């Protein structure tokens, strides 16, 4: 939830008309989306504020300083990983009437080499799954199969996003985006059926 937080709130901002994205149907860009305006979910300054809020809420509930710190950093990690793959569209700060002027837009654009990007993304995902397997163990059958079906589902979605047609509309894109909350719930379900196992 922390690592995916800014993508979890982005669809709501789209539906509210606060942020904007354009869908490209000419097949000239991967992914077929132009992130024209998303400073409240995806500017570095906003992400740092979300990270502090996320950590503060966690600390209030769980009273764990270390846990809050890790989750805050996980929120920020999303922006840094986006920075590697995105076309230059990530702002540093929202363009409010600041004396700073318009924010530069950043992105190292690994998305323009989709095959390489795919390899990189799947490798990071495999590393994450491996780390999770190494540090947790299933306490029942659900702990095993809920995890592996989630892994298979995530890979399937990723392949569908990569090779499938562009989304039919912004509204459809935003509602599919809202469905990411189900993945958070699925993650919690997996976690409930596994316990920590020190490697
Ligand atoms: Zn993102």
């Amino acid at each position: 939830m922390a690592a995916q937080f800014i993508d979890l709130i982005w669809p709501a901002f789209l539906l509210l008309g606060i942020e904007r994205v354009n869908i490209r149907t000419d097949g000239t860009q991967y992914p077929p989306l132009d992130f024209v305006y998303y400073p409240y979910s995806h500017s570095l300054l906003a992400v740092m504020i979300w990270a502090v809020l996320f950590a503060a809420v966690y600390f209030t509930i769980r009273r764990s300083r270390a846990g809050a710190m890790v989750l805050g950093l996980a929120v920020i990690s999303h922006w840094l990983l986006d920075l590697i793959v995105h076309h230059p569209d990530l702002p540093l700060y929202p363009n409010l009437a600041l004396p700073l002027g318009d924010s530069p837009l950043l992105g190292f654009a690994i998305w323009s080499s989709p095959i390489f990007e795919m390899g990189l993304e799947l490798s990071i995902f495999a590393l994450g799954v491996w780390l999770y397997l190494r540090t947790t163990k299933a306490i029942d059958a659900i702990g095993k199969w809920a995890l592996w079906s989630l892994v298979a589902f995530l890979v399937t979605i990723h392949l569908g996003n990569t090779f499938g047609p562009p989304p039919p509309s912004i509204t459809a894109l935003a509602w599919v985006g809202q469905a990411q909350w189900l993945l958070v719930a699925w993650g919690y379900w997996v976690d409930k059926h596994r316990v920590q196992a020190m490697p």
Side-chain angles (χ1 to χ4, degrees):
M1 183 169 164
Q4 197 61 0
F5 190 67
I6 61 174
D7 275 9
L8 285 163
I9 57 175
W10 175 64
F13 289 160
L14 285 182
L15 291 169
L16 291 169
I18 296 168
E19 299 198 330
R20 287 197 316 275
V21 65
N22 288 334
I23 297 170
R24 278 207 196 188
T25 48
D26 59 3
T28 55
Q29 182 178 282
Y30 169 76
L33 300 174
D34 285 324
F35 300 99
V36 284
Y37 189 72
Y38 58 171
Y40 305 109
S41 65
H42 274 74
S43 70
L44 180 58
L45 180 65
V47 172
M48 294 199 304
I49 295 170
W50 289 123
V52 170
L53 290 174
F54 198 100
V57 170
Y58 181 82
F59 183 75
T60 309
I61 299 169
R62 291 285 169 87
R63 298 275 143 200
S64 160
R65 234 173 251 280
M69 190 76 100
V70 168
L71 292 180
L73 290 173
V75 173
I76 294 172
S77 75
H78 182 114
W79 194 88
L80 297 173
L81 290 168
D82 268 1
L83 178 66
I84 299 172
V85 296
H86 271 236
H87 302 288
D89 56 32
L90 290 159
L92 290 175
Y93 48 84
N95 291 340
L96 308 169
L98 289 177
L100 295 164
D102 283 2
S103 167
L105 298 174
L106 308 179
F108 303 149
I110 292 185
W111 268 339
S112 35
S113 327
I115 301 297
F116 177 68
E117 193 276 338
M118 182 84 137
L120 183 70
E121 199 156 341
L122 288 176
S123 308
I124 294 174
F125 180 59
L127 180 68
V129 173
W130 178 73
L131 282 172
Y132 187 72
L133 285 171
R134 222 170 75 104
T135 48
T136 64
K137 63 172 192 279
I139 50 171
D140 55 21
I142 295 177
K144 190 171 172 193
W145 296 113
L147 171 63
W148 285 110
S149 54
L150 177 59
V151 168
F153 188 68
L154 288 172
V155 171
T156 309
I157 295 183
H158 190 62
L159 295 176
N161 283 343
T162 307
F163 299 109
S169 70
I170 308 284
T171 315
L173 171 70
W175 282 110
V176 170
Q178 293 286 23
Q180 290 178 105
W181 288 101
L182 296 173
L183 298 176
V184 175
W186 198 335
Y188 272 91
W189 184 46
V190 171
D191 251 1
K192 280 265 176 282
H193 294 268
R194 299 181 70 89
V195 287
Q196 233 171 358
M198 280 301 127

